[in-house]
Amino acid sequence: MKTMKLINKKICMGKDIGIHGNVFGGYIMSWIDEAGAAFATEYCCTPNMVTLRVGELLFKKPLKAGNHVRLYGDVDHLGNTSIKINIEARKFNLYSGEETVVCTTSITFVRIDDDGQPTPIGETVKRNYERTKVPEEMMG
């Protein structure tokens, strides 16, 4: 499993269950968007971020009522006005500590001004991102 930052936790509730006895995918989608937005705003040091694009959502395993879910994220790309984040939802086993990936996606957020227009992400954020990037040749 990839090393990512823990960005949120959820407990699957009975109200989250769809007609097939699993957590409704729409709820998982909203959890991912909310966690991603919180991560993006903190990373970019601004509350003015909006969702631009959600990549393919891949639902790998079902979730049931009572399951604990941990949401993880990492920055895939930082642009002039946008940030792309990879997100994994993982079922967490309270007894063993084991995590199982149940859903993956990527989300792009855009920094906006008061009129809703794209505006540049701060230079300090960009410098921090460049400093923490792992060179491609070092990745397996």
Side-chain angles (χ1 to χ4, degrees), residues 81-138:
T81 62
S82 65
I83 184 171
K84 181 179 178 186
I85 299 169
N86 294 319
I87 296 186
E88 288 184 354
R90 302 176 190 168
K91 180 169 67 169
F92 178 72
N93 183 310
L94 293 169
Y95 299 108
S96 68
E98 180 183 339
E99 294 181 327
T100 304
V101 176
V102 296
C103 184
T104 60
T105 192
S106 63
I107 303 181
T108 302
F109 296 91
V110 174
R111 182 173 185 214
I112 58 169
D113 62 18
D114 291 338
D115 294 322
Q117 297 301 309
T119 190
I121 292 170
E123 290 302 318
T124 302
V125 174
K126 291 176 186 175
R127 281 193 301 275
N128 288 341
Y129 172 72
E130 289 300 324
R131 192 170 51 248
T132 60
K133 272 188 3 184
V134 177
E136 285 186 33
E137 60 270 8
M138 294 181 69

Side-chain angles (χ1 to χ4, degrees), residues 27-78:
Y27 288 122
I28 298 170
M29 292 166 60
S30 71
W31 299 344
I32 287 171
D33 190 39
E34 179 183 11
F39 182 61
T41 57
E42 287 181 21
Y43 191 93
C44 294
C45 303
T46 178
N48 300 326
M49 303 291 286
V50 294
T51 305
L52 173 70
R53 179 181 186 280
V54 178
E56 176 185 47
L57 278 142
L58 183 58
F59 296 96
K60 297 180 174 194
K61 303 276 183 183
L63 289 169
K64 304 287 186 186
N67 287 160
H68 284 237
V69 179
R70 292 183 172 186
L71 297 156
Y72 290 86
D74 66 7
V75 177
D76 182 57
H77 178 75
L78 187 70

